[in-house]
Amino acid sequence: MIERVCAPDHILCAWGLTREFGGVQALRGVDLHVARGTITGLIGPNGSGKTTLFQVISGMDRGATGTISFDSESILGWRPSEIYRRGLARTFQLSRVFPELTVLENLVVAGHRRDRSAAERALGLLERVHLREYAAVLGKNLSYGQQKLVEFLRVLMSDPALILLDEPAAGVNPTLRQTLWEMVRHLNGLGTTFLVIEHNMEVIADLCSDVYVLSDGEIIAQGDFASIRNNERVLEAYFGKSRKHGAA
Amino acid sequence: MFNGLRRLNGRWVGAVLVTFVLLAPLVINDYHQSFLLQVFMVIALAQAWNLISGMTGYVSFGHAAFFGVGAYAGALFLTWGFPWWLAVIKGAGIAALLAVPLGFLTLRLRGPYFAIAMLGLNEVGRIVATLWVNVTHGGSGLTLSPELLPSLDVKYFTMFGLALAATLLVAWVHRSRFGLELRAIREDEEAAEMVGVNTTRDKVIAFVLSAVIPGAVGAVYVMYTSYLNPASAFDNARNIEMIVVVLFGGSGTVWGPILGAGTVMILRELLWAQFPSAHLAALGVLLLVVVLYLPGGLISILRVRQQKRPDARPGESP
Amino acid sequence: MTAPLLSIHDLEVSYGAVQVLFGVNLEVHAGEIVSIIGPNGAGKSTVIKAVIGLVEVQRGSVEFDGRDITNLPAHVIPSLGVTYVPQGRIVFAQMTVTDNLEMGAFLQHDSRKRREAVDSVFEQFPRLYERRSQPAGKLSGGEQQMLAIGRALMLNPRLVILDEPSLGLSPKYVDLIFEHLLTLKSQGRTLLMVEQNAARALELSDRGYALELGYNRFVDTGKKLLANDDVRRMYLGGA
């Protein structure tokens, strides 16, 4: 068997990730390598398996086969809380803020257990996005956009090395969206790696140095956005293939 | 008036109550002392249920199972010659020991399935107690001879001690990091796991803690009644009482179960103590009141309203 | 030119504070197949939901057969002759195929007419006839989609609206379903559909509307849209 090694400048490597749900192959042998310190994009049409891939990498879905190496450790089969503690965090497409906990509690619970200054750090983060005065507000009383922002801050509490962002700006108004992307850029400048699922191609073009395209459970293209955008296979994946046209 | 109540400092109220409890045996008669003992018992059980169900969100319909285990274990150790306090400790210990594997099994289940599994456990307890005749004397029950039993005062203070310990435990958990994690589990267990909370470990710990108390309470109870049979040890009414008392008082809070226990017991004394079969029906009515009018329990009337959001800043959508 | 069967004027729809449609215009003439295509977040499904009353329209209007149906409650729409095949093959899994079909005709009180409708669906979809007594949950994805379409036909609608009919189907079933849609057209029905698989949808359609971010981007005949490279590039933020 060929020994698969993740290059040191790659923070996340996945080989042959396969996930089947009752006869349907959601992921078919996905290979993925995310370089350290990048903002890498993950795009693909609806139903292509992007969220499933995130579920598998983050440990929420333990039913996949293959290999996942994060920061030189094999993490397939680890439980999500362990993966989080190791430095890999993930946000959800639909806000999962804890509704009956205050904003501050939402953040503190995501910090390190023995961190005595967790509350301070949390307040600092809230300050950065002008939400400090919401610290004592219950999660359910925030607007949806604010919830998504708080959810984003939540995963920052453990200072992860890699963050998986699942459509972080969906349902968020333009002003908060700006704030969010600015924070992503800022953190990336400080060394945090991001893998981002996004449908907004402008954002992908603007932010991502590397893009993976997933279609029907397979990676069909990888590269910078300019080359992706003109890739026949990618266009076909999004647009579909008519039977009357021959091979492009 | 309510403004004044809101500013009540819990510690002062607590201090007053504790003083009252400690001094009460000097002035009240045995009947009232027994009544208070029963109030303490309900408080202790309620706080235990509060821990796993109110705070962690795993609603148990069968926590009387641990009460029953503690009662039988305590009774047996007593008859085997152990001093009463050791029997209580051992009773609690057996309950806790059982709670570990049971916790790992049942806590895999969510919501209604967990509730029913716990109900099932209670039934299993009752059946085992009925069939294991060599040890438990089955349906005819165990009788404890009076010379083994401690005095009413001792039982009174012990039960009070358990109620106090249970309340302090809930108070501590409430303020602690552990309690924050439990509440996060209650809100959204998957999301909690995703932000680093080891949900399995936390749930099992909460479950075991919620079993230890009923175990101890059961052991003291059997010394109070001096008689135990499967029906009274694994009494479904006790299950329901635990739930209604907490919901009525205020689930997930520290004072809620105390308020609830006090109110229910006083109402019982005043209204239906003469008609024990009406007890369950009365609990049902209280439950209806909670569901229809007081979802937050009694304590929500006294509490400061939770803050609404500050006004939206310009440029942000409200 | 005859008046369109369905027309949508300057439609604006918001979900709470987030506006999704910014003045969409669309027409469907009797006997046509019209497709709405576009990248994610374009608002395609929202247009459809506005027509059948599942979302509130803030501005603009929807007219069907000369009548203003804007913001009518959803349960009124089928009685006007418009039925809907929702996304994801929503069938009643525990009920048999026949019962599922009957559910589609609950407005029809005459049981003989109901049975006739069931029979005509079975004629159109022999596969469903074969499985008529099986619980719908046991059918394959493609068969369930046929069932969902059959159910929408039970009230003999003039306009059938389909939300992503090919979603999650294997290529074989996509072919089959689209053939059935062509047959429906030959029977004189009018179809409006939202489709992910733009190429196949446009192949089938008389006309198409390409939406992007809540706006009309392109409108043309199916063939012309198919040949238009800009339409393809729209999906990846180009053009």
Side-chain angles (χ1 to χ4, degrees):
Chain A
M1 193 186 90
I2 302 170
E3 176 81 4
R4 284 164 165 163
V5 177
C6 195
D9 60 327
H10 283 143
I11 192 172
L12 178 77
C13 296
W15 294 281
L17 286 181
T18 304
R19 179 57 166 122
E20 204 183 287
F21 292 106
V24 177
Q25 289 236 308
L27 297 176
R28 314 162 190 270
V30 169
D31 289 350
L32 188 83
H33 306 269
V34 179
R36 264 178 223 280
T38 57
I39 304 178
T40 302
L42 178 64
I43 64 175
N46 264 357
S48 52
K50 305 188 294 292
T51 298
T52 308
L53 186 57
F54 270 24
Q55 296 274 97
V56 167
I57 296 176
S58 64
M60 276 184 81
D61 184 334
R62 319 263 281 271
T65 53
T67 317
I68 307 178
S69 166
F70 172 67
D71 216 7
S72 313
E73 262 191 278
S74 169
I75 60 169
L76 188 63
W78 285 25
R79 58 184 300 162
S81 53
E82 286 174 332
I83 294 178
Y84 179 82
R85 294 280 155 224
R86 188 69 186 72
L88 198 169
R90 172 243 169 128
T91 64
F92 296 94
Q93 210 174 335
L94 293 173
S95 157
R96 286 178 86 158
V97 153
F98 299 117
E100 298 284 339
L101 298 185
T102 64
V103 168
L104 189 63
E105 286 174 330
N106 261 279
L107 297 184
V108 168
V109 76
H112 200 271
R113 294 193 99 200
R114 300 189 204 290
D115 183 3
R116 303 219 173 252
S117 54
E120 264 174 62
R121 292 193 51 211
L123 290 172
L125 284 173
L126 287 172
E127 186 79 53
R128 297 255 290 278
V129 297
H130 311 295
L131 285 181
R132 200 187 189 290
E133 66 257 25
Y134 287 75
V137 175
L138 291 184
K140 66 182 179 187
N141 289 333
L142 295 175
S143 73
Y144 187 72
Q146 290 169 328
Q147 284 184 14
K148 290 220 77 175
L149 209 53
V150 166
E151 214 209 336
F152 175 67
L153 295 181
R154 194 166 66 181
V155 301
L156 299 182
M157 284 295 292
S158 68
D159 241 332
L162 170 64
I163 303 182
L164 309 180
L165 292 177
D166 197 345
E167 296 197 55
V172 175
N173 74 54
T175 321
L176 286 177
R177 220 181 286 169
Q178 267 296 89
T179 311
L180 187 99
W181 292 126
E182 267 161 30
M183 276 205 87
V184 170
R185 255 195 237 277
H186 175 80
L187 290 163
N188 181 244
L190 296 175
T192 310
T193 311
F194 288 91
L195 178 60
V196 183
I197 294 179
E198 248 304 325
H199 284 290
N200 185 337
M201 297 302 167
E202 263 178 52
V203 166
I204 298 280
D206 213 20
L207 222 52
C208 301
S209 51
D210 197 17
V211 179
Y212 277 86
V213 185
L214 194 65
S215 171
D216 212 18
E218 276 185 283
I219 300 283
I220 58 169
Q222 184 213 346
D224 62 278
F225 188 65
S227 59
I228 295 287
R229 159 191 283 183
N230 293 315
N231 182 314
E232 246 332 289
R233 245 192 119 182
V234 173
L235 288 171
E236 218 172 74
Y238 272 91
F239 191 74
K241 188 167 165 183
S242 73
R243 293 171 304 171
K244 291 179 186 154
H245 288 179
Chain B
M1 178 182 102
F2 282 140
N3 265 318
L5 274 172
R6 277 186 203 145
R7 288 201 216 101
L8 273 179
N9 187 330
R11 289 201 205 131
W12 282 110
V13 175
V16 165
L17 286 177
V18 170
T19 315
F20 166 73
V21 165
L22 292 176
L23 296 176
L26 301 172
V27 288
I28 60 180
N29 62 32
D30 273 6
Y31 177 75
H32 291 134
Q33 201 174 357
S34 296
F35 170 74
L36 283 179
L37 191 155
Q38 288 175 64
V39 174
F40 301 149
M41 182 167 91
V42 174
I43 291 176
L45 289 177
Q47 294 287 24
W49 189 87
N50 194 21
L51 194 61
I52 187 68
S53 304
M55 290 190 69
T56 315
Y58 274 81
V59 178
S60 167
F61 274 33
H63 246 60
F66 297 114
F67 175 91
V69 165
Y72 270 103
L76 290 171
F77 281 112
L78 200 61
T79 55
W80 293 336
F82 287 84
W84 68 268
W85 51 271
L86 202 50
V88 171
I89 292 175
K90 284 186 179 291
I94 304 269
L97 257 150
L98 278 177
V100 176
L102 287 176
F104 274 107
L105 283 177
T106 58
L107 292 166
R108 286 168 195 273
L109 304 169
R110 297 289 170 92
Y113 301 101
F114 173 78
I116 293 180
M118 290 306 299
L119 187 66
L121 272 179
N122 191 48
E123 295 307 298
V124 168
R126 194 213 313 265
I127 291 170
V128 167
T130 312
L131 296 179
W132 203 2
V133 182
N134 290 346
V135 169
T136 64
H137 293 200
S140 26
L142 285 175
T143 314
L144 297 173
S145 41
E147 63 277 6
L148 295 171
L149 306 176
S151 69
L152 179 60
D153 275 351
V154 168
K155 287 179 285 206
Y156 171 87
F157 285 115
T158 310
M159 199 61 100
F160 171 66
L162 288 176
L164 186 63
T167 302
L168 290 176
L169 177 65
V170 170
W172 172 77
V173 168
H174 207 259
R175 271 196 335 248
S176 71
R177 166 67 191 219
F178 176 60
L180 182 58
E181 293 186 1
L182 290 183
R183 284 186 290 137
I185 291 174
R186 180 190 66 200
E187 298 291 294
D188 188 337
E189 189 166 338
E190 262 189 348
E193 179 75 32
M194 287 312 299
V195 294
V197 173
N198 187 332
T199 56
T200 305
R201 181 190 63 199
D202 283 0
K203 283 189 304 191
V204 172
I205 292 176
F207 189 75
V208 170
L209 287 175
S210 78
V212 154
I213 296 161
V217 169
V220 177
Y221 169 80
V222 76
M223 293 171 208
Y224 167 70
T225 59
S226 74
Y227 170 72
L228 188 71
N229 66 20
S232 66
F234 296 96
D235 189 358
N236 260 317
R238 192 162 292 119
N239 274 321
I240 295 172
E241 193 176 69
M242 269 192 263
I243 299 173
V244 175
V245 159
V246 176
L247 290 182
F248 187 66
S251 171
T253 66
V254 176
W255 282 97
I258 297 176
L259 271 175
T263 314
V264 169
M265 292 299 288
I266 291 174
L267 283 176
R268 190 180 88 172
E269 251 329 273
L270 295 177
L271 296 179
W272 66 84
Q274 312 302 331
F275 311 100
S277 46
H279 188 53
L280 268 183
L283 289 178
V285 170
L286 286 177
L287 194 56
L288 272 177
V289 168
V290 169
V291 167
L292 292 176
Y293 303 112
L294 271 184
L298 277 179
I299 207 149
S300 59
I301 306 178
L302 302 174
R303 220 173 217 191
V304 178
R305 276 256 184 79
Q306 278 296 351
Q307 321 83 328
K308 300 239 166 71
R309 282 185 301 116
D311 291 333
R313 295 158 56 93
E316 275 176 28
S317 58
Chain C
M1 193 173 79
T2 48
L5 184 60
L6 176 78
S7 63
I8 297 173
H9 296 289
D10 297 324
L11 202 65
E12 285 183 33
V13 175
S14 300
Y15 290 114
V18 184
Q19 187 163 2
V20 186
L21 296 181
F22 297 86
V24 170
N25 290 285
L26 188 144
E27 275 178 12
V28 184
H29 295 260
E32 277 192 311
I33 299 182
V34 172
S35 289
I36 305 177
I37 62 169
N40 222 276
K44 315 187 287 292
S45 279
T46 309
V47 172
I48 293 217
K49 289 185 185 158
V51 171
I52 56 172
L54 285 180
V55 302
E56 194 188 314
V57 171
Q58 272 76 38
R59 263 222 188 96
S61 66
V62 182
E63 269 171 42
F64 178 72
D65 209 12
R67 178 185 163 167
D68 187 350
I69 65 168
T70 321
N71 284 326
L72 281 185
H75 62 266
V76 173
I77 303 290
S79 58
L80 301 174
V82 180
T83 58
Y84 172 59
V85 182
Q87 198 183 98
R89 304 181 283 286
I90 319 282
V91 295
F92 300 109
Q94 318 274 27
M95 295 169 72
T96 64
V97 167
T98 310
D99 286 340
N100 265 275
L101 289 178
E102 296 240 351
M103 284 305 296
F106 68 94
L107 284 179
Q108 176 58 269
H109 298 299
D110 185 336
S111 61
R112 191 175 51 92
K113 290 213 181 105
R114 264 209 315 271
R115 258 178 285 124
E116 277 172 16
V118 171
D119 287 339
S120 88
V121 168
F122 281 148
E123 235 182 85
Q124 162 117 52
F125 297 98
R127 224 31 123 85
L128 290 182
Y129 180 71
E130 280 166 37
R131 306 222 187 300
R132 66 192 179 282
S133 311
Q134 284 185 18
K138 297 252 188 288
L139 268 51
S140 73
E143 288 162 350
Q144 285 178 348
Q145 187 64 294
M146 282 190 245
L147 178 56
I149 295 174
R151 189 177 60 197
L153 295 175
M154 288 293 291
L155 289 174
N156 203 14
R158 296 186 59 193
L159 172 65
V160 180
I161 302 184
L162 302 108
D163 199 343
E164 309 237 11
S166 79
L167 192 64
L169 297 184
S170 62
K172 173 182 87 168
Y173 273 117
V174 173
D175 287 343
L176 204 55
I177 295 289
F178 277 21
E179 262 171 52
H180 278 295
L181 294 183
L182 266 178
T183 313
L184 290 182
K185 175 182 164 160
S186 70
Q187 291 170 352
R189 296 193 204 273
T190 311
L191 303 180
L192 171 65
M193 65 180 180
V194 162
E195 245 307 323
Q196 267 270 78
N197 192 335
R200 294 298 301 274
L202 291 176
E203 257 178 27
L204 196 65
S205 308
D206 296 295
R207 285 182 315 112
Y209 289 82
L211 297 184
E212 192 186 25
L213 294 177
Y215 291 94
N216 286 84
R217 270 312 289 283
F218 301 98
V219 46
D220 215 330
T221 66
K223 276 207 189 76
K224 293 218 187 102
L225 285 179
L226 202 53
N228 187 339
D229 248 355
D230 284 345
V231 178
R232 292 177 98 203
R233 286 207 226 103
M234 181 180 69
Y235 278 76
L236 288 165

